[in-house]
C-alpha cells in the first residue's frame, strides 16, 4: 500500500499538484459544507431541468451529487495539507506554513 501512496504523490506532484492553490480552491476547502450544499442544489436543478420534472428520485440524485462533491472537497483538503498548505481559518491569511515563526 505504501508503494501506491508514493506513486500517487509522485504523479500528483509531477502533474502540478504541489503548486500554490488558487483563492477559489482555498475558499472551497475552508468551507466544504456550503460548497457541498450548493453542488446539491445545482445537481438537483440540472437533473430536474433535463428530465422536466421534480420528484424524490431527482432530489436523491442531487443529494448524491452534492455529497460526492463535498467528499471530493474533503479529499482536496487532505491533499493540500500533504503539501504544507494550511487552509484553516486560524492561519491569519497565511495559506502556506513554511515553518518560520512570525511575531
Amino acid at each position: 500500500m505504501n508503494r501506491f501512496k508514493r506513486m500517487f504523490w509522485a504523479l500528483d506532484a509531477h502533474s502540478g499538484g504541489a503548486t500554490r492553490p488558487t483563492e477559489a480552491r482555498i475558499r472551497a476547502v475552508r468551507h466544504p459544507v456550503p460548497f457541498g450544499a450548493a453542488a446539491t442544489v445545482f445537481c438537483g436543478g440540472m437533473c430536474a431541468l433535463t428530465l422536466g420534472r421534480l420528484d424524490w428520485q431527482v432530489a436523491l440524485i442531487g443529494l448524491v451529487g452534492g455529497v460526492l462533491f463535498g467528499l471530493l472537497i474533503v479529499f482536496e483538503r487532505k491533499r493540500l495539507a500533504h503539501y504544507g498548505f494550511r487552509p484553516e481559518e486560524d492561519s491569519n491569511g497565511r495559506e502556506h506554513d513554511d515553518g518560520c515563526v512570525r511575531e
Side-chain angles (χ1 to χ4, degrees):
M1 189 66 168
N2 197 15
R3 181 179 176 191
F4 289 119
K5 284 183 182 179
R6 285 194 323 253
M7 287 173 34
F8 171 77
W9 292 121
L11 180 66
D12 188 52
H14 179 70
S15 63
T19 59
R20 180 174 169 77
T22 61
E23 185 64 33
R25 188 182 295 171
I26 291 172
R27 188 172 294 134
V29 298
R30 279 185 185 160
H31 310 288
V33 174
F35 277 85
T40 299
V41 172
F42 180 76
C43 289
M46 288 295 110
C47 289
L49 283 175
T50 302
L51 296 175
R53 62 176 187 189
L54 180 60
D55 55 0
W56 68 273
Q57 288 108 349
V58 174
L60 185 63
I61 290 172
L63 182 65
V64 168
V67 167
L68 290 176
F69 189 75
L71 286 174
L72 183 69
I73 292 174
V74 170
F75 289 136
E76 177 68 11
R77 182 180 194 131
K78 291 180 183 288
R79 193 184 70 80
L80 289 179
H82 172 79
Y83 288 115
F85 294 101
R86 307 283 185 234
E88 288 84 15
E89 289 289 337
D90 60 353
S91 64
N92 296 327
R94 294 178 295 132
E95 287 80 16
H96 190 273
D97 185 13
D98 56 3
C100 297
V101 178
R102 295 182 178 90
E103 296 179 14

